[in-house]
Amino acid sequence: VTLPELLPSLRSSLPPHLDPNIWPLTAREGLCGEVLVGGVELSKIAKEYGTPTYVLDETDIRQRCRDYRAAFPEAEVAYASKALLCRAVAGWVQEEGLSLDVCSAGEIAVAAAAGFPAWRMVLHGNAKTPQDLRAALDYHVGRIVIDSVGEIAQLAANVHRRQRVLLRLTPGVDAETHTALTTATEEQKFGLSLTSGAAADAARRVLGQPKLNLVGVHCHLGSQIARFGGYEQAVQRLVAFMAWLRDECHTTLEELNIGGGHAVPYVSGDNGFALNAFAGRIRRVLHVECDRYHLPLPRITIEPGRAIVARAGVTLYRVIAIKRTAGGQRLVAIDGGMSDNLRPCLYGASYTARLVGRPLTADMEPTTVVGRHCEAGDVVARNVPLPIDAHPGDVLAVPCSGAYHHSLASNYNLVGRPPIIAVRDGSARTLIRCETTEDLLARDIGL
Ligand SMILES: Cc1ncc(COP(=O)(O)O)c(C=O)c1O
């Protein structure tokens, strides 16, 4: 424990440094308060592309993919594209040997436009629409994860050829994360309960459909999970279910998909996810449980989303206004907020921020960074050290904003969504262009 961790007030008065746990792998301090990512000065990107802008470090994303492949060489690693998807990202994860978890006709369309191989795609969703299923079947998506009983007959009636499917199970595991991020306890919307018998009933129905090929089971415990106990419990319960299937239904499954949810640190001192230790623990529990039931080892699939892309992202804003509340709190208002980063509003997520492209020689003051939107809860970061001479026009950078930012962005207050600018080896290029007022008006077709 460091002194600044013991004394938060001390932490917020210190000049910033680039914590390698939360900034992109290629982030470097430049001269005069500049920060470079992928060899490109952030203030230059702000000037050239405007603000807000999402900056994405390609090297960081590729390296996270490689880390997963190295930690789990025997497993299938499927990137959960809901965290962030555009054609370039689909291309990078494909080149790095990952599969793709998709959740909608839109995600399938983008992956298909990038030429992502259909057989390496897995479709999820607790309420897949007929359009989602149609898109998946037309593209011949490799596996479809069934989440409700009604989906079974619907799918069987529409498949062109025998379709590989998994069952999403609810193992009844509390993964010790925020309740809004918990997805494997009994009283929530995802999956088929093991304890109620819904899972067993669904398995029998799938096996009764000759056009459906039940190849595995799936669970996803939630997100921002740093501890392994929940995953171990889930493996135990899912393997027990696989043994039941073998004994009662004479079916041996080949795949055990344990979802994603691996934690990422957003502010200094947050827990990360010890990937290699995790791989070891999963391997061990899988061996023990399969031995117990004399089951052959299934192939493990994992589905990290956030852990692949979160740290690659930095969002750039401009300071618009500065105020002090009657209670003395300094507020820095920026030109973005909950429309480009919903996470603080959704579940109180924490962020840090710093100014870039200007000297940081003045004393620091703990500051609340607020957004531009018409909600009092539109707060981007609390208690971050910003220089006392911060002023309108300064560029503010928020790290660790690659996951569930662009994908959760909205047009609230009719602002256009920011562009995504990829950086690598000293150059920047646009992946997604900025949404303009003309784009917004183009959808408004009735008078
Ligand atoms: C089925 C499934 N897999 C994987 C993920 C990815 O989670 P994370 O981004 O926390 O790794 C999610 C997230 O909602 C999910 O629903």
Side-chain angles (χ1 to χ4, degrees):
V1 178
T2 63
L3 199 55
E5 279 165 8
L6 279 174
L7 298 171
S9 59
L10 178 60
R11 183 171 64 199
S12 59
S13 63
L14 289 174
H17 73 290
L18 296 179
D19 182 340
N21 293 316
I22 54 179
W23 285 82
L25 286 174
T26 67
R28 302 280 176 270
E29 294 275 3
L31 296 173
C32 296
E34 188 57 86
V35 173
L36 293 91
V37 177
V40 185
E41 294 170 355
L42 291 182
S43 62
K44 208 170 135 196
I45 295 180
K47 206 165 157 194
E48 204 164 312
Y49 297 92
T51 52
T53 283
Y54 300 118
V55 179
L56 203 58
D57 182 5
E58 178 179 345
T59 305
D60 186 295
I61 292 182
R62 287 185 181 275
Q63 188 56 48
R64 307 283 173 201
C65 294
R66 287 173 200 171
D67 292 346
Y68 269 92
R69 298 287 325 125
F72 264 117
E74 77 280 30
E76 179 175 3
V77 184
Y79 166 60
S81 68
K82 68 208 78 185
L84 172 67
L85 188 64
C86 56
R87 288 181 302 158
V89 170
W92 301 340
V93 300
Q94 183 201 338
E95 283 165 16
E96 297 302 334
L98 272 56
S99 298
L100 201 69
D101 149 4
V102 288
C103 269
S104 68
E107 289 180 358
I108 292 169
V110 171
F116 206 97
W119 63 272
R120 276 166 56 192
M121 287 166 60
V122 187
L123 178 73
H124 285 285
N126 70 300
K128 300 177 195 76
T129 65
Q131 292 80 3
D132 297 333
L133 285 175
R134 170 71 30 231
L137 296 176
D138 287 349
Y139 196 59
H140 302 307
V141 159
R143 282 155 289 163
I144 295 180
V145 182
I146 291 172
D147 197 299
S148 63
V149 167
E151 216 181 309
I152 299 169
Q154 196 193 351
L155 191 55
N158 286 291
V159 290
H160 315 294
R161 54 188 190 188
R162 201 152 186 250
Q163 174 67 49
R164 292 160 74 81
V165 299
L166 285 82
L167 287 176
R168 177 160 180 166
L169 305 180
T170 308
V173 169
D174 184 350
E176 300 176 58
T177 183
H178 192 288
T179 41
L181 298 173
T182 298
T183 56
T185 51
E186 291 292 346
E187 300 307 315
Q188 49 76 49
K189 68 176 183 170
F190 297 103
L192 298 149
S193 168
L194 287 171
T195 51
S196 75
D201 172 48
R204 287 197 168 101
R205 287 172 193 251
V206 172
L207 293 171
Q209 295 285 355
K211 282 189 162 172
L212 302 183
N213 179 12
L214 181 62
V215 295
V217 283
H218 169 274
C219 70
H220 172 69
L221 306 186
S223 210
Q224 275 299 77
I225 304 166
R227 301 168 73 162
F228 308 149
Y231 290 102
E232 289 174 317
Q233 238 179 25
V235 169
Q236 286 165 347
R237 293 180 187 176
L238 265 55
V239 170
F241 183 76
M242 291 169 78
W244 171 85
L245 258 177
R246 192 243 350 242
D247 298 341
E248 297 296 319
C249 306
H250 315 294
T251 301
T252 301
L253 302 183
E254 63 192 60
E255 177 178 352
L256 176 54
N257 183 328
I258 55 172
H262 310 163
V264 160
Y266 280 82
V267 296
S268 295
D270 272 0
N271 287 326
F273 194 78
L275 181 57
N276 289 310
F278 174 70
R281 291 266 292 268
I282 292 300
R283 240 171 244 134
R284 206 165 313 130
V285 68
L286 187 65
H287 274 94
V288 169
E289 296 307 308
C290 288
D291 275 358
R292 180 197 308 276
Y293 297 105
H294 306 291
L295 273 177
L297 279 182
R299 186 184 72 255
I300 286 282
T301 302
I302 51 172
E303 299 175 331
R306 184 190 312 276
I308 299 288
V309 293
R311 288 155 289 195
V314 176
T315 309
L316 302 178
Y317 303 97
R318 283 220 188 249
V319 173
I320 298 291
I322 299 185
K323 279 186 191 170
R324 198 168 288 280
T325 65
Q329 172 68 49
R330 186 169 68 147
L331 307 178
V332 163
I334 53 171
D335 57 358
M338 63 190 292
S339 60
D340 58 77
N341 180 5
L342 193 58
R343 297 187 65 254
C345 297
L346 262 188
Y347 33 73
S350 299
Y351 285 87
T352 186
R354 66 164 274 174
L355 299 185
V356 297
R358 48 149 288 169
L360 300 173
T361 43
D363 286 345
M364 296 284 159
E365 178 179 358
T367 303
T368 298
V369 178
V370 297
R372 64 176 291 190
H373 295 286
C374 302
E375 293 286 331
D378 181 22
V379 174
V380 174
R382 293 178 194 277
N383 204 29
V384 294
L386 292 183
I388 53 170
D389 62 351
H391 54 76
D394 280 342
V395 178
L396 183 109
V398 174
C400 210
S401 49
Y404 303 104
H405 279 233
H406 181 265
S407 57
L408 283 176
S410 77
N411 293 128
Y412 182 38
N413 291 138
L414 285 182
V415 299
R417 285 168 293 178
I420 301 181
I421 307 299
V423 289
R424 182 181 151 178
D425 300 334
S427 60
R429 68 188 169 111
T430 305
L431 301 186
I432 301 266
R433 71 164 170 78
C434 178
E435 197 170 29
T436 61
T437 309
E438 289 70 42
D439 289 325
L440 301 178
L441 274 169
R443 297 180 62 231
D444 187 337
I445 55 171
L447 267 186

